[in-house]
Amino acid sequence: MPIFKDLLGEKRGLKSIFLGSPNPNFGIQNRATIGLNYKRGSKAPVIGKNSTIRSNTVIYDDVKIGNDFKTGHNVLIREKTNIGNNVLVGTNTVVEGSCKIGNNVSIQSNVYIPTDSIIEDYVFIGPCACFTNDRYPIRVDYELKGPIIRHGASIGANSTFLSGVEVGEGAMVAAGAIITRDVPPFYLAIGAPARLRPLPPQFNVLNKIK
């Protein structure tokens, strides 16, 4: 099992595969769990270069993550999730299994992302956003459908999403909005339930997350 030094300089045994050599921009803090076995035969996660994984983060087996990945504290990333390059997952955020997250994505603290969610490149998700994948919890059989957040969309803090909604390219969701239907590209969703209107011209651009 590979041995790496965490940010405190302490040697730790980690079930994980890292691409490239650790450098000053790479570190794993104490009490991070990399490679949680969830079933027999699961495979250790693959994590790219220049990553920072902070304390109490748990990353399951069968996860693939690109370069320049960063977490806050107490992050959970479940199995069969694929994450691209230059992604931030903030403190206390939960990413359930079988999710796809693109490149240059910024996910702030306390966000909940359910199973089968798709988040494309250059998406910003504000703190405490909550996505769902079950429209009628427990009461009836329902095919679980996570959200689809398209390229360059911005999601405001404390917004809530019903299952299966799609937020179009470059769209913006206001803080506290409740999204019950799809948001077209370059539209603004505001209110509870959200009303839709075209974005003002000055906001009609895609995010630039570096």
Side-chain angles (χ1 to χ4, degrees):
M1 187 164 56
I3 301 294
F4 296 96
K5 287 186 177 181
D6 64 21
L7 294 181
L8 299 179
E10 189 175 312
K11 287 186 177 180
R12 297 175 61 81
L14 299 169
K15 182 186 176 186
S16 187
I17 300 171
F18 287 88
L19 307 178
S21 299
N23 60 42
N25 296 319
F26 174 94
I28 305 169
Q29 291 189 354
N30 282 325
R31 300 180 301 279
T33 301
I34 312 298
L36 184 64
N37 186 301
Y38 68 98
K39 71 173 185 178
R40 191 171 188 177
S42 63
K43 296 181 180 179
V46 177
I47 302 175
K49 297 182 292 185
N50 303 327
S51 296
T52 300
I53 299 172
R54 292 187 169 85
S55 60
N56 298 311
T57 291
V58 177
I59 299 176
Y60 275 54
D61 280 354
D62 295 326
V63 169
K64 295 181 180 179
I65 300 174
N67 299 328
D68 302 303
F69 175 66
K70 295 180 178 62
T71 75
H73 304 276
N74 307 313
V75 168
L76 174 63
I77 300 175
R78 291 288 303 268
E79 69 277 0
K80 299 180 181 178
T81 291
N82 291 333
I83 299 176
N85 298 318
N86 190 35
V87 173
L88 167 68
V89 180
T91 293
N92 296 326
T93 287
V94 174
V95 180
E96 298 285 11
S98 302
C99 293
K100 295 181 180 179
I101 299 174
N103 301 309
N104 302 298
V105 173
S106 181
I107 301 170
Q108 303 301 296
S109 298
N110 300 302
V111 173
Y112 179 74
I113 299 173
T115 302
D116 296 324
S117 297
I118 298 173
I119 298 170
E120 295 186 344
D121 299 345
Y122 292 98
V123 167
F124 174 87
I125 300 178
C128 301
C130 181
F131 302 91
T132 66
N133 64 355
D134 191 348
R135 191 170 290 263
Y136 309 106
I138 298 177
R139 298 303 174 92
V140 298
D141 289 334
Y142 180 77
E143 181 183 358
L144 300 181
K145 296 179 181 179
I148 301 175
I149 312 299
R150 296 296 185 189
H151 184 101
S154 289
I155 308 301
N158 288 298
S159 51
T160 302
F161 294 74
L162 266 63
S163 67
V165 298
E166 180 173 329
V167 177
E169 181 181 44
M172 296 186 73
V173 173
I178 297 179
I179 307 302
T180 61
R181 53 181 169 153
D182 293 350
V183 181
F186 295 102
Y187 262 63
L188 171 67
I190 184 169
R195 305 178 303 278
L196 304 178
R197 61 185 67 167
L199 278 174
Q202 65 269 32
F203 297 123
N204 209 2
V205 296
L206 293 174
N207 295 331
K208 296 179 181 179
I209 298 174
K210 297 180 180 180

